Amino acid sequence: MRHPIYFILWIVLLHVGSVSGIPSALAASAPMDSAEKSLSVFDCVRRAESSDPVALSVRAQRLGAQAVVEQARALPNPSVSYLAQDLGLQGSTGPLLLQQVTAGFSPFAALLRVQESRAACASQRQTQAAIAVDLLRLRETVGRAFYELQLLEKLWRLEQDSVRLSEQLVAESQTRKRHGDASGLDVLRAESEREESARLAEHSAHTLAMAQRAFALLIGESSPKPLLLAQEDPSWLTQLPIPIADALSQVQKDDVSAQCAVLLELALSKRPERAWALEELHQSEVLSKLATLRALPLSDIQVSGGIRSSMAGVGGIVAITGSLPILDWNQGLRHRAQAQGVRAQARLAEVRQQIQIEVESSLRDFYHVRALRLQRAQPLHERRARALDLTRKLFAEGLASFGDVVMASRDLFSARRTLLQLERDALVARWRLAVAVAAW
């Protein structure tokens, strides 16, 4: 990206979200105002795009491109010269002087200015495309960070559930010990599990607090503060975005390759990277014509006219100056324009490959994660929940050990984490696909 601060903040957010694989939250230390409006991913993207660093950078790039166009369109100023020459002769009034005033201009400079302005306009359109590319990458970064932060919040709630469960196990162990059904070792292990759960919950609270502040800076908030994020529509976990679903309505649902081909063509018609490469190719053609025109030094031709005054009288002057195209045929600029054209063709091919990778990987990731969630993670979570419920009942009746309860609870929370992570992966893949097709 052209804005390093967003890349740095994104890395910070990923780091704090991946420490020991445990979530975090600020809600434990500083609850959010319930009256505060919750922000959707689209709200966060709009805030990031309108933030001062992004808006000022975009404005600077546009002003710079406009300045290049204005400079290319400006015609050269005419030249004026004055000459006073002592002829070495004496007159009745003193030394004889020859005075000469001339004004000149380049009549063929406008021909070059036309081509230069075309090249500058192509460069301006490249700048516009580059701005669109930066904004596209910013949208992808904000979307990823948004769903990562949502995952951290959900996992923090999961850690709070783990704390509550460990406290219940401590109470049950103490009750069983009073009735003679459990030993002091069971109580000690339950208390140890409670302390470990509390430690993980406190760590997750700190981690989420840092992630929330980093995300606030990422979207352009004036101060790092926690934001209230809106929960996504549950249908987003299983359904493609509406513009993409409409584009795939005529394609068989099980033919992923055909779907990728359709989305690739749709992405190529919308992605700013391709427009950037096309404008660069067009600019190389204009610069090649400009280099050919400059090979003939038409712009060096200057026509001057003026008057000459001396004791002999007043006369007129007409002068034409220029350069002879003998040594320099402008081969360097010609070859440079050809090289730019070749680079633009390479960029076009590279852009097509990159867009194809992004479209196909995000679409296949979405289908893969959706299938894993529905066919594996959800059934596993349900079974782990039933296993924990049954194990706790057996433990209450003295038919299961405390270790069995601990293992069953750990298995359940592990299954929940996996389910939440798969939901995050599905939302991220869906967002990546929308950004790849420019249909968010």
Side-chain angles (χ1 to χ4, degrees):
M1 294 181 64
R2 295 195 178 192
H3 313 292
I5 184 174
Y6 297 113
F7 178 75
I8 294 173
L9 291 174
W10 171 236
I11 294 298
V12 171
L13 183 59
L14 284 182
H15 175 70
V16 299
S18 60
V19 175
S20 72
I22 303 171
S24 51
L26 179 68
S29 57
M32 299 179 189
D33 185 4
S34 59
E36 182 182 356
K37 179 184 177 182
S38 60
L39 299 176
S40 68
V41 63
F42 304 106
D43 295 330
C44 294
V45 168
R46 282 190 287 269
R47 286 197 181 190
E49 291 178 345
S50 60
S51 62
D52 287 343
V54 176
L56 292 176
S57 177
V58 168
R59 182 183 177 188
Q61 293 181 64
R62 288 176 177 170
L63 288 176
Q66 181 63 30
V68 173
V69 174
E70 293 174 352
Q71 184 177 1
R73 290 176 176 174
L75 294 175
N77 294 320
S79 61
V80 178
S81 65
Y82 169 76
L83 173 66
Q85 182 178 2
D86 186 356
L87 298 178
L89 301 176
Q90 295 291 327
S92 58
T93 60
L96 296 179
L97 296 177
L98 174 64
Q99 301 186 63
Q100 177 178 306
V101 178
T102 59
F105 65 96
S106 300
F108 299 104
L111 295 177
L112 295 179
R113 286 293 187 258
V114 171
Q115 292 297 323
E116 289 176 354
S117 64
R118 291 177 180 174
C121 289
S123 177
Q124 185 182 36
R125 290 190 292 270
Q126 286 187 55
T127 301
Q128 296 290 348
I131 292 173
V133 171
D134 287 343
L135 293 178
L136 190 70
R137 296 307 173 194
L138 178 61
R139 292 167 190 163
E140 181 180 5
T141 301
V142 172
R144 285 175 175 267
F146 180 89
Y147 293 122
E148 289 289 343
L149 187 56
Q150 273 196 339
L151 174 64
L152 293 179
E153 292 177 350
K154 294 175 182 178
L155 290 178
W156 173 78
R157 297 188 186 95
L158 182 62
E159 294 299 331
Q160 299 303 308
D161 293 341
S162 177
V163 170
R164 286 190 289 270
L165 177 60
S166 63
E167 291 175 348
Q168 293 176 5
L169 291 178
V170 169
E172 291 178 3
S173 299
Q174 292 174 346
T175 301
R176 291 191 60 203
K177 180 182 178 182
R178 287 195 298 268
H179 291 83
D181 296 332
S183 64
L185 179 61
D186 293 333
V187 176
L188 181 62
R189 294 182 62 183
E191 292 175 345
S192 300
E193 287 294 324
R194 181 183 60 186
E195 295 300 323
E196 177 67 11
S197 300
R199 183 190 68 83
L200 295 178
E202 291 175 1
H203 177 73
S204 73
H206 170 73
T207 307
L208 181 57
M210 299 300 297
Q212 286 176 328
R213 283 160 170 75
F215 184 75
L217 292 177
L218 176 63
I219 66 174
E221 293 292 327
S222 58
S223 61
K225 61 181 182 180
L227 300 172
L228 183 60
L229 304 184
Q231 297 300 318
E232 304 300 335
D233 189 337
S235 64
W236 286 17
L237 295 171
T238 57
Q239 298 179 8
L240 293 171
I242 294 177
I244 296 177
D246 293 340
L248 299 178
S249 59
Q250 304 299 325
V251 184
Q252 296 182 359
K253 294 183 178 180
D254 56 347
D255 193 351
V256 181
S257 298
Q259 293 179 3
C260 292
V262 172
L263 293 181
L264 175 61
E265 296 302 320
L266 180 61
L268 290 175
S269 64
K270 293 185 176 183
R271 288 286 289 268
E273 294 94 332
R274 187 169 183 270
W276 187 357
L278 289 175
E279 290 299 334
E280 185 178 2
L281 182 60
H282 174 65
Q283 186 187 35
S284 68
E285 296 172 354
V286 175
L287 290 177
S288 180
K289 295 179 181 178
L290 181 60
T292 303
L293 285 177
R294 285 179 174 171
L296 297 175
L298 298 177
S299 62
D300 294 342
I301 298 177
Q302 187 173 39
V303 179
S304 304
I307 59 175
R308 174 181 294 172
S309 175
S310 66
M311 294 298 295
V314 178
I317 301 172
V318 175
I320 299 177
T321 59
S323 60
L324 296 176
I326 297 177
L327 302 178
D328 184 8
W329 286 91
N330 208 27
Q331 293 298 322
L333 290 180
R334 287 183 179 182
H335 292 162
R336 187 179 299 172
Q338 293 176 0
Q340 181 175 343
V342 174
R343 284 197 302 269
Q345 293 175 359
R347 183 186 293 274
L348 274 174
E350 181 182 358
V351 165
R352 181 182 178 86
Q353 292 177 352
Q354 182 63 30
I355 293 176
Q356 184 174 6
I357 291 174
E358 293 178 5
V359 170
E360 185 161 352
S361 63
S362 56
L363 181 63
R364 292 184 181 275
D365 283 348
F366 179 76
Y367 286 156
H368 175 67
V369 174
R370 184 178 65 179
L372 283 180
R373 175 178 172 271
L374 294 177
Q375 300 174 11
R376 296 289 184 266
Q378 282 187 343
L380 176 62
H381 177 265
E382 294 172 358
R383 290 186 177 91
R384 296 293 191 191
R386 291 198 299 269
L388 175 60
D389 184 63
L390 180 60
T391 304
R392 291 188 63 186
K393 291 179 180 179
L394 294 176
F395 175 71
E397 296 175 0
L399 300 178
S401 65
F402 180 78
D404 295 333
V405 177
V406 171
M407 291 302 300
S409 62
R410 289 179 178 178
D411 291 342
L412 174 59
F413 288 123
S414 175
R416 285 186 182 178
R417 290 189 185 95
T418 301
L419 180 60
L420 292 175
Q421 289 169 354
L422 286 176
E423 291 178 353
R424 182 274 316 273
D425 293 342
L427 291 171
V428 169
R430 187 180 189 272
W431 181 258
R432 286 174 47 219
L433 179 61
V435 173
V437 185
W440 71 291

